[in-house]
Amino acid sequence: MPELPEVETIRRGLKKEILNRRIIKIQVNLPKLIRIPKANQFKARLKDTMIEDIRRQGKFILFFLHTGDRLVVHLGMSGLLLYQENELIIPQSNKKHHHIIFYFQDGSKLIYNDVRQFGKIWLLEKNDELAEIKALGFEPLGYYFTFDEFYRMLQKSRKNIKSFLMNQKNVAGIGNIYANEILFHSGIHPLRKANSLQIDETRTVYQNIRKILSRAIALRGTTMIDESYRDHKGNKGQYMDDIMIYGKRGGTCPICGRHIEIIRIENRSTFVCPVCQI
DNA sequence: AAAGTAACCTGCCCGC
DNA sequence: TGCGGGCAGGTTACTT
């Protein structure tokens, strides 16, 4: 579910709420979500710690603890991080899927909820690095992701442009929704080979990556259906209103009116206007 | 090297 | 009403 804009929205929301609160208890209902270390170790090392900072790399959220440890969360397809003060009920968060709960000293709590259980959690010691994070490519909104670098990377790749954009080793944080949207806005067919893009086409895609992800963050992400993405308080995003093509089964192109085609690329539904995307 | 497939899970929607 | 199939924002391992 969550791509860069959704993960970033959650990061910013949590950062306003939970910094420097003491974790007094950790409840683990589904231990398999924790990759490192074992559940008892996980609880023992987290108890009585405080979160000093929260950062994001690609679709990973990193909680920096005052002990030097880092708690790393990947939300997979359906993970939610819900913050509850007091006993506020968040209706769409079925307790059945509350897999890990962090209790703070002031009575509030942070809940990891995940219907499909594809999410992953790690607790790393100071100097440990996660291979999956090390392998990430450019932050698409970061300083180092320049047009020149992007063009160079595309020229080296013989993959289709959509797979290229979704590969986290190239650019970190783009998933199926935003890959579809970026290519539609750019008028590029998803099956085009990356190294076949002309320099002006590459510039268009580059600019759309930054434009679309920025706007989606400003609108707090995309909630396609009710049970899907929510922010840390259970609120929906608003970027759905901007969605041009993703999920428009049986729909028509908002530009030319042609029937939208659906193809599969690496087993993911890919929506394309055969007229506007070439 | 790229692209396809299955696997990991639960839940929803649709057609029969 | 119920059942089966297909689908879902992610990632990895294995095969072709």
Side-chain angles (χ1 to χ4, degrees), chain A residues 94-144:
Chain A
N94 191 337
K95 278 195 180 173
K96 189 168 149 191
H97 305 297
H98 286 187
H99 302 312
I100 298 176
I101 308 177
F102 305 87
Y103 294 88
F104 296 105
Q105 192 161 34
D106 65 359
S108 63
K109 50 192 182 251
L110 178 64
I111 298 162
Y112 183 75
N113 177 295
D114 191 350
V115 171
R116 295 180 67 184
Q117 307 175 13
F118 290 166
K120 294 175 187 170
I121 298 180
W122 302 259
L123 180 59
L124 305 177
E125 291 181 56
K126 199 169 289 179
N127 296 316
D128 285 357
E129 297 222 46
L130 205 56
E132 291 92 326
I133 291 182
K134 254 186 162 172
L136 291 176
F138 286 101
E139 275 298 325
L141 300 178
Y143 176 80
Y144 299 101

Side-chain angles (χ1 to χ4, degrees), chain A residues 197-228:
Chain A
L197 266 68
Q198 302 301 306
I199 198 155
D200 58 319
E201 295 176 318
T202 307
R203 183 166 279 114
T204 304
V205 174
Y206 173 79
Q207 288 169 347
N208 279 324
I209 289 171
R210 298 181 74 116
K211 213 184 287 179
I212 290 170
L213 294 179
S214 302
R215 175 148 174 85
I217 291 171
L219 293 181
R220 310 179 55 78
T222 303
T223 304
M224 293 298 294
I225 46 172
D226 280 9
E227 284 72 29
S228 59

Side-chain angles (χ1 to χ4, degrees), chain A residues 17-168:
Chain A
E17 304 280 2
I18 65 171
L19 293 194
N20 303 313
R21 299 194 179 194
R22 188 169 295 275
I23 298 169
I24 55 167
K25 184 183 148 192
I26 303 95
Q27 185 181 329
V28 177
N29 299 328
L30 192 60
K32 71 164 186 181
L33 296 178
I34 303 168
R35 298 308 159 119
I36 293 174
K38 298 253 182 245
N40 345 340
Q41 270 297 307
F42 180 83
K43 290 196 255 188
R45 290 210 344 244
L46 277 168
K47 190 168 154 46
D48 291 321
T49 63
M50 291 178 292
I51 296 161
E52 289 186 330
D53 197 10
I54 310 175
R55 297 183 207 166
R56 179 191 57 73
Q57 288 186 262
K59 300 173 189 169
F60 294 82
I61 305 184
L62 296 81
F63 297 85
F64 287 75
L65 307 175
H66 85 281
T67 52
D69 286 355
R70 271 161 304 149
L71 178 69
V72 180
V73 177
H74 191 292
L75 299 169
M77 204 76 130
S78 55
L80 304 172
L81 279 167
L82 300 166
Y83 179 68
Q84 292 187 356
E85 279 173 305
N86 315 316
E87 278 304 313
L88 264 181
I89 310 285
I90 297 179
Q92 63 280 2
S93 65
N94 191 337
K95 278 195 180 173
K96 189 168 149 191
H97 305 297
H98 286 187
H99 302 312
I100 298 176
I101 308 177
F102 305 87
Y103 294 88
F104 296 105
Q105 192 161 34
D106 65 359
S108 63
K109 50 192 182 251
L110 178 64
I111 298 162
Y112 183 75
N113 177 295
D114 191 350
V115 171
R116 295 180 67 184
Q117 307 175 13
F118 290 166
K120 294 175 187 170
I121 298 180
W122 302 259
L123 180 59
L124 305 177
E125 291 181 56
K126 199 169 289 179
N127 296 316
D128 285 357
E129 297 222 46
L130 205 56
E132 291 92 326
I133 291 182
K134 254 186 162 172
L136 291 176
F138 286 101
E139 275 298 325
L141 300 178
Y143 176 80
Y144 299 101
F145 180 57
T146 61
F147 169 72
D148 286 351
E149 284 291 347
F150 186 56
Y151 186 65
R152 212 166 299 153
M153 288 163 73
L154 283 192
Q155 290 305 305
K156 278 194 300 188
S157 170
R158 273 162 291 184
K159 293 214 296 187
N160 69 69
I161 183 65
K162 187 187 181 224
S163 297
F164 178 93
L165 291 177
M166 289 183 66
N167 186 339
Q168 304 299 299

Side-chain angles (χ1 to χ4, degrees), chain A residues 238-260:
Chain A
Q238 292 302 132
Y239 190 75
M240 303 77 78
D241 306 341
D242 277 40
I243 292 283
M244 299 285 270
I245 198 160
Y246 175 82
K248 310 267 186 206
R249 243 165 266 278
T252 52
C253 172
I255 295 173
C256 76
R258 266 286 285 276
H259 186 259
I260 291 170

